[in-house]
Amino acid sequence: AVEEIGGAKVTRVEQSDALSSVCSIVIRGAAENSLDEIERCVDDGVNAYKVLCQDPRVVLSNGGVENELAKQVRAFGNQLHGLDQHSVSAYADALDAIPKLLAENACQEDTNEVSSSPSVPASGADAATGDVADASPASPTQMQEGGVYDLYRTKHRGIKHATEAALAVLSVDQIIMSKPAGGPQPPKRG
């Protein structure tokens, strides 16, 4: 059907069958950059739904996963010695920074409270099962009531790929440090 919306003639396509799996979304806007942002948001939502259909596990979106992982990584690092202990501790510090950054992005005033919050398991479960611990002033109950979740697969892959990138950088550093520089040698005097 041809209709007029906002002074412009548009063709509107309606779904005739309630069981149809095809959908079109038409986005209108005044500025190109706002349209690009809306398109990105719709694309993110569609991809999130696609991932959720493949793996329905979710975790609370309050930084609790990272807080619990940091706690466990730090406990593991305390059993190590030397440079390994320092590296594992730095990794735990990086994980600890994520809940604080989430709080800053959410405009919470006291971001120090987030990183110092005790880790209380949500619903009696732990991070290993896909449930998260409370790492922010928002309790697990508040997060559940608000429907604020992250996809487990997205969280898992993000941490996995970040870890792989850090290991790649460290391996390159080890190679550079282990090989002597191979340029021309200065002439010996004597």
Side-chain angles (χ1 to χ4, degrees):
V2 177
E3 295 182 5
E4 190 171 319
I5 299 177
K9 288 188 176 186
V10 297
T11 303
R12 189 172 101 192
V13 181
E14 292 183 0
Q15 181 176 346
S16 61
D17 182 9
L19 302 176
S20 177
S21 61
V22 178
C23 177
S24 297
I25 299 173
V26 180
I27 302 169
R28 289 187 67 224
E32 183 85 22
N33 60 349
S34 65
L35 285 173
D36 290 341
E37 184 66 20
I38 292 170
E39 180 182 1
R40 187 188 65 78
C41 290
V42 169
D43 189 48
D44 287 349
V46 169
N47 287 330
Y49 182 75
K50 178 180 160 186
V51 170
L52 194 58
C53 288
Q54 295 169 352
D55 185 357
R57 294 180 292 176
V58 296
V59 294
L60 294 177
S61 182
N62 64 348
V65 170
E66 293 83 358
N67 193 39
E68 182 65 25
L69 284 173
K71 188 172 96 176
Q72 292 182 18
V73 167
R74 191 166 280 110
F76 170 73
N78 288 338
Q79 300 170 0
L80 302 175
H81 301 286
L83 191 55
D84 289 339
Q85 182 181 27
H86 177 69
S87 300
V88 171
S89 176
Y91 185 77
D93 291 343
L95 287 169
D96 263 342
I98 295 171
K100 187 172 182 179
L101 291 171
L102 289 172
E104 284 179 15
N105 286 340
C107 299
Q108 290 183 358
E109 291 181 18
D110 188 12
T111 57
N112 291 328
E113 183 180 334
V114 173
S115 58
S116 65
S117 294
S119 216
V120 179
S123 305
D126 60 60
T129 64
D131 290 329
V132 299
D134 181 19
S136 74
S139 71
T141 304
Q142 290 171 324
M143 298 302 283
Q144 287 172 337
E145 287 173 356
V148 184
Y149 297 100
D150 282 333
L151 299 172
Y152 171 80
R153 183 187 279 182
T154 304
K155 183 78 70 172
H156 178 267
R157 286 187 178 173
I159 292 172
K160 177 184 172 192
H161 292 310
T163 303
E164 289 172 355
L167 289 173
V169 169
L170 289 174
S171 67
V172 168
D173 284 350
Q174 287 178 345
I175 291 170
I176 291 171
M177 291 173 53
S178 67
K179 291 186 177 182
Q185 300 295 325
K188 293 184 179 182
R189 297 182 188 193

